[in-house]
Amino acid sequence: MGPVWLLSALGLLAACASADLSLFQQRVRVMPERIFSHCYHWPIEKSPKLHSLSAGSNVGAATHTVEAHIEGADSFQSEFDLRTLDPEGVLFYGDTDGGANWFVLALRGGHPEIQISNTHSNIAVQSGDQLSDGRWRRVTVRSAKSSIELLVDHQPSLTITILPNVGLEDQVVKLRIAVGNMLINESDLLIPLKYRLDACISNWDWLQQNTSWLDKKISSNPNIQCHTSVMPGTFFQGLGMAVFKTSGFWNVTESLEDWVMQFEGVIRPAKHSGMVLAVLSENYGRLLQLDFVRQGRAEVFRLSLGGTRLVELPGPSQLCQGQPLSLTLSAQEATLAIGDQQQSQPLEPGLFAPLHNAWFRTDAQIFFGGLPVLDSIGHDWSYFHGCMQGLKLQEQPVDFNYAYFADESVSTHSCPAPA
């Protein structure tokens, strides 16, 4: 398919000033696990030959930058194998002259997109190939003085011709490549995007340079290695959470008087306790909390509204294999279901009002997988470790690319596949 020219820049997302991100960035465990056993079949196999591309799954990993001083060259090439289920984020960034001339290869809507800025032109163009289907694809980028070519599985996908040239006219060229990140500010992009990409790469060749140091770095650090097989979902390593604003889940057509909170998805935990969902006020007061703990030989799911415990529901015996979970909450009743278990509880008058009011009238926050470490919130919970799939809130899919904050340990679009 021919390239689709992107004709206008999207507006930058406004930052929400009322919340303190530093609270979410603290990844200190608030409560040690009393039960240390994992689900026996949980796959943990990783490969030192598969590099986790995204900062979203590189716990403590710095940006990998390759520099090359090349004399008398008039063309350059980089290539790698790619596997991703994430439709948006940066694959790699390259520049010359310390960032004066730059290039970004990214995904948007699952399609490869190239953005170029140099002294002669600013260009943004997209290919028709779909790369976010979870299959391994060979991606090649070739650049010469007047053109840049993108190949997918060795087939031409996109060709850009730039006149007079692409900025490679010097006799000695210093090139920098940043893998899975950028060396410019996000605001400098021609068309803004969510730069973190949950992806895996292997068999890379960056500018035909020796990158054995990168191979050694990956082989010695499991945190930046990929699982050998993945499936769609969001994977929490038990180290942090993801945060959304309630304003992102308003439905303008629904009646505020008859508003009902609805949440559904599938959870597949690796441990026997964890925070699934919570809603906090703008001052971090607890409005709603749904988590589970181990009691005896079974997990018990706990639903609280404000400081009132509404439901304690035993989980199914096959929770580790993945079970559907749903929550419906109105001014009259709360209903929680997990697997084949379900329980409803009538609500006392006025108990629902604080959640209802905060959802629409203040800057309330929705937490998945954990809470900020604050004494005012309490420490009677633990981080969720495992996979969440098919999450919907207010009947809208929860896309972690659009989280207000997501901890580095959260893989936004992939989970290790069952053994």
Side-chain angles (χ1 to χ4, degrees), residues 24 234 236 240-244 276 278 366-371 398 400 403-407 410 412:
F24 311 147
T234 300
F236 295 81
M241 78 290 286
V243 187
F244 291 81
V276 179
I366 306 163
F367 290 77
F368 292 94
L371 290 171
V398 179
F400 287 85
Y404 171 64
F405 168 82
D407 188 80
V410 178
T412 57

Side-chain angles (χ1 to χ4, degrees), residues 33 58 138 208 237 302 351 397:
E33 291 284 355
N58 289 357
R138 188 67 175 174
Q208 298 181 326
Q237 295 188 34
R302 309 182 301 184
L351 190 60

Side-chain angles (χ1 to χ4, degrees), residues 16-310:
C16 299
S18 61
D20 182 3
L21 276 180
S22 64
L23 291 175
F24 311 147
Q25 292 165 341
Q26 300 177 54
R27 290 192 277 113
V28 180
R29 286 188 178 275
V30 300
M31 174 180 157
E33 291 284 355
R34 296 179 183 275
I35 307 295
F36 286 92
S37 58
H38 286 65
C39 292
Y40 69 93
H41 65 279
W42 188 267
I44 57 174
E45 183 180 0
K46 292 185 174 183
S47 171
K49 295 182 180 180
L50 303 180
H51 170 36
S52 177
L53 182 62
S54 171
S57 52
N58 289 357
V59 181
T63 300
H64 304 309
T65 304
V66 179
E67 293 191 1
H69 292 75
I70 303 175
E71 182 175 359
D74 59 4
S75 65
F76 306 92
Q77 177 172 305
S78 293
E79 57 184 338
F80 51 90
D81 291 334
L82 169 72
R83 181 191 69 193
T84 185
L85 292 158
D86 188 348
E88 184 168 328
V90 171
L91 289 165
F92 76 90
Y93 161 96
D95 70 21
T96 64
D97 300 326
N101 303 312
W102 57 261
F103 165 98
V104 170
L105 175 63
L107 295 184
R108 189 190 303 273
H111 303 285
E113 176 179 289
I114 290 175
Q115 297 191 33
I116 301 169
S117 178
N118 58 35
T119 56
H120 306 295
S121 58
N122 291 312
I123 295 174
V125 62
Q126 191 177 93
S127 163
D129 286 284
Q130 178 65 242
L131 301 187
S132 59
D133 56 5
R135 296 166 49 201
W136 281 107
R137 314 296 290 273
R138 188 67 175 174
V139 178
T140 305
V141 176
R142 297 172 181 166
S143 61
K145 283 191 174 182
S146 61
S147 67
I148 291 179
E149 185 179 19
L150 173 69
L151 292 84
V152 175
D153 293 332
H154 307 290
Q155 298 298 315
S157 175
L158 181 65
T159 299
I160 305 171
T161 300
I162 305 172
L163 299 174
N165 57 49
V166 297
L168 302 178
E169 65 272 17
D170 295 335
Q171 290 298 312
V172 179
V173 177
K174 178 181 178 181
L175 284 166
R176 299 186 302 175
I177 285 182
V179 183
N181 213 326
M182 299 183 297
L183 303 178
I184 56 174
N185 294 325
E186 292 178 68
S187 59
D188 293 331
L189 287 172
L190 305 178
I191 303 178
L193 53 76
K194 298 291 184 179
Y195 78 92
R196 287 171 51 174
L197 184 72
D198 179 7
C200 187
I201 61 172
S202 67
N203 300 320
W204 49 79
D205 181 358
W206 304 111
L207 305 171
Q208 298 181 326
Q209 299 296 299
N210 183 352
T211 56
S212 57
W213 59 270
L214 180 56
D215 300 340
K216 292 178 181 178
K217 183 177 181 179
I218 295 168
S219 64
S220 63
N221 185 356
N223 288 328
I224 58 177
Q225 297 172 12
C226 294
H227 290 93
T228 54
S229 59
V230 296
M231 64 182 181
T234 300
F235 185 61
F236 295 81
Q237 295 188 34
L239 300 172
M241 78 290 286
V243 187
F244 291 81
K245 297 291 186 177
T246 55
S247 56
F249 295 92
W250 290 351
N251 186 340
V252 295
T253 63
E254 62 188 348
S255 168
L256 297 185
E257 293 182 359
D258 301 324
W259 180 72
V260 175
M261 181 181 173
Q262 296 175 296
F263 170 69
E264 63 179 282
V266 173
I267 65 169
R268 184 167 164 259
K271 289 201 173 178
H272 300 294
S273 61
M275 177 67 64
V276 179
L277 172 72
V279 181
L280 302 185
S281 70
E282 58 183 342
N283 297 320
Y284 302 103
R286 288 202 204 195
L287 299 170
L288 178 143
Q289 178 174 317
L290 173 60
D291 68 345
F292 59 96
V293 295
R294 184 67 177 259
Q295 291 184 8
R297 295 185 176 182
E299 291 83 11
V300 173
F301 285 77
R302 309 182 301 184
L303 174 64
S304 299
L305 195 58
T308 302
R309 181 69 51 78
L310 297 178

